[in-house]
Amino acid sequence: GQSLEQPSEVTAVEGAIVQINCTYQTSGFYGLSWYQQHDGGAPTFLSYNALDGLEETGRFSSFLSRSDSYGYLLLQELQMKDSASYFCAVSARGANNLFFGTGTRLTVIP
Amino acid sequence: GAVVSQHPSRVICKSGTSVKIECRSLDFQATTMFWYRQFPKQSLMLMATSNEGSKATYEQGVEKDKFLINHASLTLSTLTVTSAHPEDSSFYICSAWGGLNTEAFFGQGTRLTVV
């Protein structure tokens, strides 16, 4: 089967940097994705890592270490609008699906 | 990004009736569509994976006779909640996926309330 673990809640100050970790267990691992979901809305894609290393997209960066079965999402220069739930998701050969972690609720405070 | 249209966005139905939710990928052909269920402040729980023209693969604990999934074309999948009960009240979200190494595009979700 597949499993992912993330912290359930994180609080950070506006303008700061926050890191949301994700550890996973799956066979046939292919890639790790990150999605953002605001309350009442649909998840939207943020980033994807299939290879080790850091992918940077504006204020958001995502990191993957395949050997450690670990990744993280880094949010810089936090803004109030970044308050949302963030989900990591794994795709795996053979499973042919996208399996989501439990989600991390980020609250940005002034 | 691609657009996935899901409707209805909200539906209220009586206990014992059936409800159909449609999910359309408007500008790309989705080899796979997923159906998720989400309770308030919780994660997306994968219910089933459907590939065009074949039977859906249901996750453990999901009743395939209660949650009927049809994926008749590369752009349309439907979820029918049969004989709905109040405990089926939830937020249902579909997602269209082009396969490994691609991102998933989500519909806006359907809030089902069974009274």
Side-chain angles (χ1 to χ4, degrees):
Chain A
Q2 298 155 296
S3 69
L4 298 100
E5 287 191 14
Q6 305 176 235
S8 58
E9 294 184 355
V10 172
T11 301
V13 178
E14 191 176 12
I17 298 172
V18 71
Q19 178 174 312
I20 300 174
N21 298 321
C22 173
T23 56
Y24 60 86
Q25 284 189 318
T26 185
S27 57
F29 173 83
Y30 198 88
L32 185 71
S33 308
W34 288 91
Y35 289 79
Q36 178 192 60
Q37 185 182 27
H38 286 98
D39 286 344
T44 56
F45 173 80
L46 290 177
S47 68
Y48 174 75
N49 295 71
L51 302 175
D52 286 353
L54 191 68
E55 294 281 343
E56 297 182 62
T57 309
R59 293 189 298 115
F60 294 179
S61 303
S62 59
F63 172 83
L64 175 66
S65 168
R66 296 173 67 108
S67 60
D68 295 324
S69 298
Y70 162 78
Y72 65 73
L73 180 69
L74 191 73
L75 296 84
Q76 303 181 72
E77 299 173 22
L78 280 175
Q79 302 175 7
M80 299 301 289
K81 67 179 182 180
D82 297 329
S83 292
S85 292
Y86 292 83
F87 298 92
C88 57
V90 288
S91 48
R93 293 184 189 85
N96 194 36
N97 64 30
L98 196 57
F99 190 87
F100 282 78
T102 51
T104 299
R105 191 166 188 86
L106 171 65
T107 303
V108 181
I109 58 176
Chain B
V3 176
V4 175
S5 173
Q6 181 176 346
H7 72 91
S9 57
R10 289 178 182 274
V11 58
I12 301 172
C13 70
K14 290 185 177 180
S15 188
T17 62
S18 295
V19 173
K20 180 186 280 190
I21 303 169
E22 286 193 355
C23 180
R24 292 181 185 272
S25 62
L26 299 183
D27 52 4
F28 90 109
Q29 293 184 328
T31 57
T32 304
M33 283 193 177
F34 304 120
W35 287 95
Y36 295 89
R37 183 173 181 174
Q38 187 175 37
F39 291 104
K41 300 188 190 298
Q42 293 189 21
S43 185
L44 296 146
M45 292 173 43
L46 180 64
M47 298 175 67
T49 302
S50 74
N51 294 293
E52 182 260 342
S54 61
K55 288 184 179 180
T57 302
Y58 289 81
E59 295 299 303
Q60 193 172 9
V62 178
E63 299 175 58
K64 56 184 69 176
D65 293 332
K66 180 168 186 62
F67 298 99
L68 301 178
I69 291 172
N70 183 281
H71 192 164
S73 75
L74 285 171
T75 59
L76 174 64
S77 177
T78 60
L79 167 67
T80 302
V81 183
T82 63
S83 187
H85 291 284
E87 57 264 32
D88 298 324
S89 298
S90 189
F91 192 54
Y92 294 87
I93 308 179
C94 70
S95 174
W97 193 48
L100 294 172
N101 214 34
T102 67
E103 66 182 271
F105 299 97
F106 286 83
Q108 288 302 308
T110 298
R111 185 158 304 284
L112 170 65
T113 304
V114 184
V115 298

